[in-house]
Amino acid sequence: MKTKNYFISAIIIIALSAYFYSCSSKSDLSKDTDAASKVYVAPGSHDEFYGLFSGGFSGQMTVYGLPSGRLLKVIPVFSQQAENGWGYTEETKPMLETSYGFIPWDDAHHPQLSMTNSNPDGRWVFINGNNTPRIARIDLSSFRTTEIIEIPNSSGNHSSPFCTENTEYVVAGTRFSVPTPNKDVPISTYKENFKGNLSFIKVDKDNGRMNLEFQIRMPGFNYDLSRAGKAASKDWVFFSCYNSEQANTLLEVNASQNDKDFIAAINWRLAEKYLKEGKAKDEPGKYRHNVWNDDVHSATSTEKNGVKVLYPQDCPGLVYLIPTPKSPHGCDVDPSGEYIAASGKLAALIPVFSFSKMQKAVQEKKFDSDVEGIPILNYEAVLAGEVQNPGLGPLHTEFDGNGYGYTSMFLSSEIVKWKIGTWEVVDRIPTYYSIGHLMIPGGDAAKPWGKYVVALNKITKDRYLPTGPELTHSAQLYDISGDKMKLLLDFPTNGEPHYAQAIHADLVKPNSKKIYKLENNKHPHATLNEKDVKVVREGNIVRVYMTTIRSHFMPDMIEGIKVGDIVYWHITNLEQDWDIPHGFAVMGAQNSEALIMPGETQTIVWKPERVGIFPFYCSDFCSALHQEMQGYIRVSAADSKTEITFNKGQ
């Protein structure tokens, strides 16, 4: 009967969704004649915010200016990028190593800005790799990925990498519970053998270096989004989780049987105490830790094994479960740290829980039951209020700092604004179409900027010029500075913009790196002066120590290379001027170009397979004589007696 009722409910939801979709497609809120002026950024002027957007299945992160919607940069994170050689050059390949080997792709969902006092500080942005569980850290002074840590005993790293008040930790949950340690067991033994692990990655406050500090072994649920507390709740993190049924097949039916799923409330400060007291168990877990070093312009990959694991049943007060409507996605903490909004995708309301009521319920032991020794708090005892009839498919909430929450409604394709305290809906506006996450600049912080909300939409049919079966994904910018939300701008996005964060430009611009100083270049194959260029043979290994500067390579003529050689091009950009990278491309290369920043050294490997003369050239326009920036390499037969020769500009 439950399954039958579920399908009837699903049909009703789909029908209503189609109705709202149809209505939305026929309406147009872009007729505000002042909209263009509100997003216009004059030539030579800068946007107010950096928007940091996940690339979803592209494995990248994109940077947009807001409010203009102008694409500023694509940052390769978990994916190779031929544009700049990321994952192709010898220096960057180690960044994509995992315990499974070299994996040059992932599914990047949730950017998270580093925090100080629960506000973005402009130092770093973290992002998750969903498929092969990883967390990356991007340095906002260079907009380059500088660290990637793999997460063992985890699968489907979706609920990641949300950070605590002062970036003490970034946290990660497992979407797919798995046997831990992973082993060959019947999938039908899910309830007996499958567990969920919550990982706490400690972040060095000075240099950002990450370390897998501990994991918490949880029941075999699916763990979704997380947010850390603030102020009174700052020592806690809250994870939404679903599949409390612990089903292992057809989850759209079998994981929707229970009336309630949970928010898992974790006292991470207490976890630290238990860790120091020796409560954690040492367990196996193989993973890779990859770190970029700016001094040597290279990355290293280190294999690690082992993790400390805390079990809630051995650690009283560590974890509590808060019942919430089924299949929650969002789990969002308001700027005061008092309220936790939970969005059940199949619910017709948004429950908002009170942290102070939660503390009182714990003290008074208002527990309904437990799961594997973890107490389940009474729903009414911790409830602050319910936002009634917000729309269909509540997904994710952020806050404007002015007393309002904004929730995305996936099925009814709209953003709903509601008032904290009274829980009444005060405004709603259509999105085009099927909004997933939304983002307010600083919307997860203690002090949001609260000027805009950005809708991150999954479907865009009829909004843009068609491009075959696959259409662009889309972001929409709304003005929320007044009582009513106003649509200002649509702009296409790269990949799937699953989630985004934004930060005021003044927190990032002053620290933006312009060059890498040559005197600090410690790359083992750097050539810091044209007079030191050379070509060295070591058996069938040939190393070309090359420099590049406007508008020539040195050397730009090389002979004596043979079929079967392995040629390492170690190229140093001698420029010390901002925005003058040089590219290097050679005919027949089986990887990509290299894009070398001022003062940097990068390496491309080339394996000639035929005799002849092969040109190389600068692939990034650098001066009026860019076309003249080229050279030749002569490849002779494998048994040739031709000696290595090269020019030094004479």
Side-chain angles (χ1 to χ4, degrees), residues 173-414:
T174 183
R175 174 181 171 187
F176 312 112
S177 288
V178 290
T180 307
N182 214 340
K183 56 190 175 183
D184 179 13
V185 297
I187 297 173
S188 60
T189 65
Y190 187 105
K191 290 184 179 180
E192 293 77 31
N193 287 310
F194 288 54
K195 299 296 178 184
N197 289 289
L198 305 182
S199 302
F200 286 70
I201 315 296
K202 196 159 192 175
V203 180
D204 187 283
K205 64 183 178 62
D206 296 319
N207 59 28
R209 187 69 60 87
M210 296 186 289
N211 181 65
L212 176 56
E213 197 77 356
F214 62 92
Q215 292 181 326
I216 299 175
R217 184 68 41 80
M218 295 287 286
F221 304 154
N222 292 53
Y223 293 87
D224 212 339
L225 300 188
S226 174
R227 288 294 187 200
K230 308 174 183 73
S233 62
K234 63 184 174 61
D235 294 340
W236 293 74
V237 293
F238 305 91
F239 284 85
S240 62
C241 49
Y242 59 101
N243 191 23
S244 55
E245 299 84 356
Q246 298 190 56
N248 60 71
T249 183
L250 293 176
L251 262 62
E252 78 273 19
V253 174
N254 294 322
S256 300
Q257 300 299 306
N258 293 341
D259 184 51
K260 295 281 196 299
D261 282 311
F262 300 111
I263 298 295
I266 316 289
N267 188 331
W268 64 264
R269 192 72 74 179
L270 186 58
E272 287 188 323
K273 180 174 178 290
Y274 283 129
L275 200 64
K276 288 178 182 176
E277 292 173 355
K279 292 280 190 180
K281 298 179 181 179
D282 291 312
E283 298 193 5
K286 209 167 134 183
Y287 62 102
R288 283 274 181 171
H289 188 190
N290 309 328
V291 180
W292 179 265
N293 185 324
D294 265 345
D295 291 336
V296 295
H297 306 297
S298 302
T300 55
S301 180
T302 305
E303 183 174 281
K304 297 192 172 186
N305 199 341
V307 60
K308 293 186 178 298
V309 181
L310 293 170
Y311 287 76
Q313 55 266 43
D314 299 332
C315 303
L318 179 61
V319 185
Y320 296 96
L321 298 176
I322 302 172
T324 194
K326 65 178 66 177
S327 297
H329 186 64
C331 176
D332 301 285
V333 180
D334 88 309
S336 74
E338 168 63 12
Y339 298 114
I340 304 107
S343 301
K345 298 191 295 291
L346 301 180
L349 55 81
I350 303 168
V352 183
F353 302 106
S354 162
F355 178 74
S356 57
K357 282 189 172 185
M358 185 192 104
Q359 295 295 91
K360 185 179 179 184
V362 168
Q363 291 169 4
E364 297 176 356
K365 298 189 183 305
K366 291 188 176 179
F367 307 140
D368 287 342
S369 58
D370 72 89
V371 177
E372 297 183 18
I374 303 172
I376 300 175
L377 293 163
N378 177 268
Y379 179 81
E380 296 294 339
V382 296
L383 185 68
E386 295 174 334
V387 181
Q388 296 287 340
N389 302 314
L392 296 177
L395 204 72
H396 174 221
T397 297
E398 293 208 346
F399 302 91
D400 64 5
N402 298 313
Y404 296 97
Y406 298 73
T407 302
S408 56
M409 298 288 162
F410 178 78
L411 292 175
S412 52
S413 293
E414 59 184 331

Side-chain angles (χ1 to χ4, degrees), residues 127 151 171 176 204 219 277 380 412 451 486 538 566 597 632:
I127 194 165
I151 303 174
V171 301
F176 312 112
D204 187 283
E277 292 173 355
E380 296 294 339
S412 52
K451 193 170 183 179
K486 294 182 179 180
E538 303 162 356
I566 302 172
M597 298 300 112
Y632 290 102

Side-chain angles (χ1 to χ4, degrees), residues 67-231:
S68 73
R70 299 181 296 195
L71 176 62
L72 304 178
K73 189 174 181 68
V74 176
I75 304 171
V77 184
F78 303 110
S79 294
Q80 290 176 299
Q81 188 182 51
E83 178 184 335
N84 59 12
W86 179 262
Y88 291 104
T89 65
E90 297 304 291
E91 290 79 5
T92 58
K93 283 180 183 177
M95 293 297 286
L96 300 179
E97 290 291 342
T98 76
S99 62
Y100 300 93
F102 181 78
I103 298 185
W105 173 83
D106 217 311
D107 187 15
H109 277 203
H110 300 121
Q112 171 68 68
L113 288 156
S114 58
M115 296 279 192
T116 299
N117 297 325
S118 295
N119 289 302
D121 57 27
R123 293 180 295 166
W124 312 300
V125 60
F126 303 88
I127 194 165
N128 65 318
N130 191 15
N131 186 60
T132 305
R134 290 176 274 185
I135 291 176
R137 177 173 60 88
I138 293 97
D139 187 332
L140 288 179
S141 70
S142 62
F143 286 81
R144 173 180 277 173
T145 304
T146 54
E147 189 175 9
I148 296 176
I149 189 168
E150 188 181 359
I151 303 174
N153 304 327
S154 188
S155 185
N157 178 40
H158 185 254
S159 55
S160 150
F162 305 99
C163 75
T164 56
E165 180 192 34
N166 289 297
T167 322
E168 297 95 343
Y169 294 93
V170 290
V171 301
T174 183
R175 174 181 171 187
F176 312 112
S177 288
V178 290
T180 307
N182 214 340
K183 56 190 175 183
D184 179 13
V185 297
I187 297 173
S188 60
T189 65
Y190 187 105
K191 290 184 179 180
E192 293 77 31
N193 287 310
F194 288 54
K195 299 296 178 184
N197 289 289
L198 305 182
S199 302
F200 286 70
I201 315 296
K202 196 159 192 175
V203 180
D204 187 283
K205 64 183 178 62
D206 296 319
N207 59 28
R209 187 69 60 87
M210 296 186 289
N211 181 65
L212 176 56
E213 197 77 356
F214 62 92
Q215 292 181 326
I216 299 175
R217 184 68 41 80
M218 295 287 286
F221 304 154
N222 292 53
Y223 293 87
D224 212 339
L225 300 188
S226 174
R227 288 294 187 200
K230 308 174 183 73

Side-chain angles (χ1 to χ4, degrees), residues 51-65 69-77 79-83 105-111 127 454-458 460 464 467 470-476 490-500:
L52 302 159
F53 287 60
S54 71
F57 45 70
S58 75
Q60 300 169 336
M61 181 184 291
T62 47
V63 184
Y64 292 87
R70 299 181 296 195
L71 176 62
L72 304 178
K73 189 174 181 68
V74 176
I75 304 171
V77 184
S79 294
Q80 290 176 299
Q81 188 182 51
E83 178 184 335
W105 173 83
D106 217 311
D107 187 15
H109 277 203
H110 300 121
I127 194 165
V454 177
L456 301 164
N457 302 327
K458 304 299 185 186
T460 60
Y464 301 103
T467 52
E470 183 189 15
L471 303 180
T472 183
H473 287 249
S474 171
Q476 292 185 295
D490 286 20
F491 58 98
T493 56
N494 281 21
E496 182 218 4
H498 191 86
Y499 178 50

